[in-house]
């Protein structure tokens, strides 16, 4: 027997699978599926809607969460990924930007991980760009 899962799209920050109803491919069940899909577009029909989980985002019309990429963070209910700000880093799937480590590390905007200060430079606390060491 063939089965089909019907999904319905929700607003940004949520995803909206149907209430886990399955319909077989027989004529009668195809009719029920079409009826169900017609009702799913009815604004008065209350369908289950799930908040987008932390570490992922759900654009409008999502049927499943999308994992947040490195250099971005996605709190719960995110309709889009947020760029990682300076002085923070954001590994893949993180719900919140993480404060950069102290020296010898620095974190420019969109850091996926703290960057180690290169040789001949120094990176004091709250550095977004390495500073060249004075000669001598």
């Amino acid at each position: 027997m063939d089965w089909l899962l019907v999904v319905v799209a929700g607003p940004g920050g949520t995803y909206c699978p149907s209430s886990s109803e399955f319909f077989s491919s027989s004529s009668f069940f195809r009719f029920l599926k079409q009826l169900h899909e017609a009702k799913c577009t009815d604004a008065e029909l209350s369908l289950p809607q799930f908040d987008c989980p932390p570490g992922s985002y759900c654009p409008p019309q999502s049927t499943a969460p999308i994992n947040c990429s490195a250099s971005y963070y996605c709190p719960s209910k995110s309709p889009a990924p947020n760029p990682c700000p300076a002085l923070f880093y954001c590994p893949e799937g993180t719900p919140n930007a993480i404060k950069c480590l102290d020296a010898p590390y620095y974190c420019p905007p969109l850091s996926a991980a703290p960057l180690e200060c290169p040789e001949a430079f120094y990176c004091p606390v709250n550095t977004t760009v390495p500073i060249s060491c004075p000669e001598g």
Side-chain angles (χ1 to χ4, degrees), residues 17-70:
S18 71
S19 57
S20 301
E21 291 182 34
F22 291 87
F23 300 96
S24 83
S25 61
S26 72
S27 315
F28 175 71
F29 286 107
R30 277 197 306 266
F31 168 75
L32 287 178
K33 176 185 163 288
Q34 290 169 349
L35 182 62
H36 177 74
E37 286 176 340
K39 287 186 177 184
C40 288
T41 60
D42 185 344
E44 294 177 13
L45 181 64
S46 177
L47 294 171
Q49 211 172 64
F50 300 97
D51 289 339
C52 207
S56 59
Y57 66 100
C58 299
Q61 308 302 311
S62 292
T63 57
I66 301 167
N67 195 38
C68 207
S69 300

Side-chain angles (χ1 to χ4, degrees), residues 63-82:
T63 57
I66 301 167
N67 195 38
C68 207
S69 300
S71 302
Y72 295 85
Y73 68 99
C74 300
S76 180
K77 303 179 188 179
S78 291
N82 299 294

Side-chain angles (χ1 to χ4, degrees), residues 9 99 127:
K99 181 76 174 132
T127 299

